[in-house]
Every structure is written in structure tokens, then in C-alpha cells.
Amino acid sequence: LREKSRGTADLAAKASPKLAAAKHQDEAAWKKNLCVKAAKEHSIPQDLNKVLENKVMETVLDLSYVKLSVVERTCSGDADSEGIVSKSVSSHSDLIPGVYEGGLKIWECTFDLMDYFSEAEIEFTNKTVLDLGCGAGLLGIVALQGEAARVHFQDYNSTVIDEITLPNVVANCISEGRRMGSGKDRKASKPPSKRPRKAEGSPDVLNKCRFFSGEWSQVSQLLLNSNKPCLKYDIILTSETIYNPDYYSALHDTLAQLLHRNGRVYLASKVHYFGVGGGIYLFEKFIEDKNVFKTSMVKTIDQGLQRCIMEIAFKNSC
Ligand code: SAM
């Protein structure tokens, strides 16, 4: 996330008014950049083997995901849709130039939400689901395994969608012993190999998926204006996306525009994000002030940093 560079700017600004002005300009440019990060739909390549080419997979809770260090090495030196030209890749911010929002890593609240799905027996069957701020996309993949009718994935960064989300979805769709729809006995299957299996044809389950990158307000406009029918989502899943209060308005409006009137949002978050300022109570207050949604805290987790799961629904929903 952006904490490091912004923190450095704060210190510099204290030292000189010139730097303070530069910092101001930087922040304005950063905000502008946030507003104009265009939305894009990513098509699923015909040849799925290309999606998995050069990928090394790891597993967690019996789900496959791309090993990041290998993505870094592969992207190094290539120019892609986000203009990656760096020869030496030493960090995520080198891999993704410009604003990077954290989608390359699997954040711990993803696992909290996965636990909650099992405990609360959240039903995905025939539901239309959005994994908002998906990163690795594990939440959406679990929804696919639960026989959701459609699952859409969104991340801010297009590199994350191409290099992480799409390969993860493809790998889990084709992997041995884990046919979609068998999510409930995930723990029983044998560990998959690190090299992804070859894709033979496009598994039907992939036809249920769409992939989007871009800033939230842009993505919701793209969805609402698209020729393809955009059914509102029955379930929106979102983990570790409320760290920055500057995004609350865009996030709130996106949820309001895309959620079905009787739909539910399951939001997993740390109670407080030190250094960035966001957190669950601040977002809860933001929602309350807007008066569109009702919220309930359905789970709190006290090990390590305190975390929560919040359920959000329209005020007038059943
Ligand atoms: N949900 C994933 C997880 O739990 O592992 C990734 C969490 S990552 C910290 C935050 C995610 O929110 C990023 O993947 C990013 O794409 C998305 N995001 C944050 N701010 C955004 C914004 N303003 N517009 C669009 N996406 C945003």
C-alpha cells in the first residue's frame, strides 16, 4: 500500500515549505490518478494453457494460487498493459507502477471470511456474486465451488487480474479432485502439484466468470452501461478494502449501485488500519450517515490484530 511513500513525504514537508508544496501537488496528482483509473473488462483467453504458462502454484486450504515471486520474475523486463519495464524487480511497487492497492498478496481477512462462510453456512448456489477488490480471488473461487450462478472479479490493478486472479480461477477450475461444486469437502482432496495441470478445453464454470480492473466508480459505470445484462449482485464479498477513508464514498456508492435490493455484502476488515487511518468503525459511521444501508457486525476475531466481519444490506431489504 501507499503508506511508505506518503509517510516519507510527510516528514519532508515538515522540513521545508517548498517540499510541502510539492507534497500537496503529489497528493492532488495521486487523487486525480485515483479518480481516472479507467475500468476495463479482461477477456478470458481461448488457450487457458497460456494463462498458466510459467506459473508455479501453491496451495492454501486446498485452493491453488499463483506463487508471487515467480510472477515477479516473469514480469521483470516485459512491458505489459500497465507499462512494466523494470529490469530489476525487488518489490510489488516495481511490479505494478503507479498506484498499487495490495492485490498481489492474500490478506488475512480473506481467511476470516472463508471461515465465516462455513460457520454461517452462507449459500452461494445459483447466486450472482461479486468479489470486490479481489486480489487473488479466493473468495470468488469459493463462491464458484459453492455453485454460484455467476462470479465477477474486480481489482484496481490490471496486472493483478491478468497475473494472479485469472490464473488462480483457471487453476482451481481445472485442478484435479476439485471439480467446482465440491467446495464443501475441500479438505478431503489430495494436495495438487505445484505445476498447473494442462487445460483441456474451457471448463464450463469459466463461462460464469467475468474479470474487471479499475477504480470502483469506473467499474460500476462500466457494468451498468455494458451491453451485456448486468444483473445486480445477490452477494458482494470484499476483504481488506476499507483501509483508506478517501475511498469510502466510491466504495459506498458502488455497493449501492451494484447490490440487489435484497442482496447482502460480507465485508471483512481489520478494526483499524494503522498509518492509513481507515477501519471498521469509521466505515460503519460513514454508512450510517449515508442512511442507505443497515449494518450488523456478525463476527469479531481477537487473535492478533482485531478483525471483524460486517454484513451490509439495504435499509428496506427483507
Ligand atoms: N481482497 C484481497 C484480499 O483480502 O487478499 C485484496 C485486499 S487488498 C489490501 C485491497 C484491494 O482493494 C486491492 O486488491 C484493490 O484492488 C482494491 N481496491 C482498493 N481501493 C480501490 C479503489 N479505490 N478502487 C478499486 N479497487 C480498489
Side-chain angles (χ1 to χ4, degrees):
L1 304 181
R2 211 173 295 98
E3 290 161 72
K4 199 171 152 198
S5 53
R6 292 174 86 200
T8 316
D10 282 341
L11 283 178
K14 275 186 196 139
S16 133
K18 238 184 180 172
L19 284 173
K23 181 200 166 218
H24 190 73
Q25 270 182 353
D26 262 12
E27 280 185 356
W30 167 71
K31 281 197 171 137
K32 192 162 162 248
N33 191 5
L34 180 69
C35 294
V36 296
K37 176 79 178 181
K40 165 176 156 189
E41 178 158 8
H42 297 240
S43 52
I44 302 172
Q46 289 283 318
D47 182 0
L48 295 181
N49 292 314
K50 284 247 177 302
V51 178
L52 298 175
E53 209 169 56
N54 301 320
K55 297 282 186 283
V56 173
M57 308 307 291
E58 310 227 78
T59 52
V60 62
L61 298 178
D62 210 18
L63 294 169
S64 304
Y65 69 96
V66 169
K67 186 171 176 178
L68 181 61
S69 60
V70 179
V71 174
E72 287 178 336
R73 247 181 287 137
T74 313
C75 286
S76 164
D78 295 341
D80 80 349
S81 57
E82 284 181 306
I84 294 173
V85 289
S86 164
K87 279 276 174 211
S88 60
V89 174
S90 56
S91 71
H92 299 166
S93 52
D94 289 333
L95 179 59
I96 299 185
V99 177
Y100 161 58
E101 289 295 349
L104 288 173
K105 147 180 171 174
I106 304 171
W107 294 73
E108 62 184 328
C109 292
T110 278
F111 300 109
D112 294 338
L113 206 42
M114 282 164 57
D115 285 346
Y116 179 71
F117 296 158
S118 315
E119 291 157 17
E121 299 184 6
I122 301 295
E123 216 20 275
F124 292 110
T125 314
N126 297 329
K127 298 281 168 63
T128 302
V129 178
L130 173 64
D131 185 345
L132 191 70
C134 61
L138 299 191
L139 299 174
I141 291 168
V142 171
L144 277 173
Q145 292 183 332
E147 298 189 343
R150 281 179 210 83
V151 180
H152 296 172
F153 296 85
Q154 174 277 337
D155 197 88
Y156 186 90
N157 296 105
S158 63
T159 305
V160 170
I161 293 288
D162 290 334
E163 298 294 333
I164 305 283
T165 323
L166 235 163
N168 287 350
V169 173
V170 169
N172 284 286
C173 285
I174 63 175
S175 62
E176 188 179 32
R178 192 182 305 113
R179 299 197 28 246
M180 290 296 170
S182 63
K184 279 174 188 139
D185 47 44
R186 249 186 287 148
K187 282 180 187 137
S189 71
K190 70 174 185 180
S193 79
K194 290 207 167 202
R195 285 282 163 201
R197 289 170 64 78
K198 276 215 178 291
E200 287 135 19
S202 175
D204 284 348
V205 71
L206 277 179
N207 298 331
K208 298 176 170 188
C209 302
R210 289 174 73 186
F211 298 85
F212 301 91
S213 62
E215 194 270 331
W216 285 318
S217 61
Q218 305 290 308
V219 171
S220 43
Q221 284 320 302
L222 179 75
L223 279 163
L224 295 170
N225 298 333
S226 135
N227 298 331
K228 294 188 196 169
C230 169
L231 302 175
K232 302 255 172 150
Y233 298 102
D234 301 310
I235 300 180
I236 299 182
L237 307 171
T238 193
S239 153
E240 307 242 18
T241 46
I242 58 164
Y243 46 86
N244 191 335
D246 290 345
Y247 304 160
Y248 285 6
S249 183
L251 178 58
H252 178 278
D253 294 353
T254 298
L255 298 178
Q257 284 166 344
L258 298 181
L259 187 68
H260 184 276
R261 65 190 161 81
N262 290 323
R264 293 288 182 273
V265 178
Y266 295 101
L267 178 148
S269 169
K270 304 211 165 78
V271 165
H272 185 71
Y273 288 87
F274 296 97
V276 201
I280 199 79
Y281 297 117
L282 200 63
F283 191 60
E284 188 182 38
K285 174 81 174 59
F286 187 93
I287 292 183
E288 203 181 298
D289 291 347
K290 290 273 183 181
N291 205 24
V292 174
F293 292 115
K294 56 188 175 190
T295 62
S296 62
M297 221 62 92
V298 290
K299 185 173 177 188
T300 54
I301 300 111
D302 283 321
Q303 302 106 306
L305 277 184
Q306 212 191 1
R307 309 181 301 279
C308 292
I309 309 232
M310 182 195 262
E311 187 182 300
I312 305 171
F314 281 112
K315 281 215 149 163
N316 52 4
S317 66
C318 15

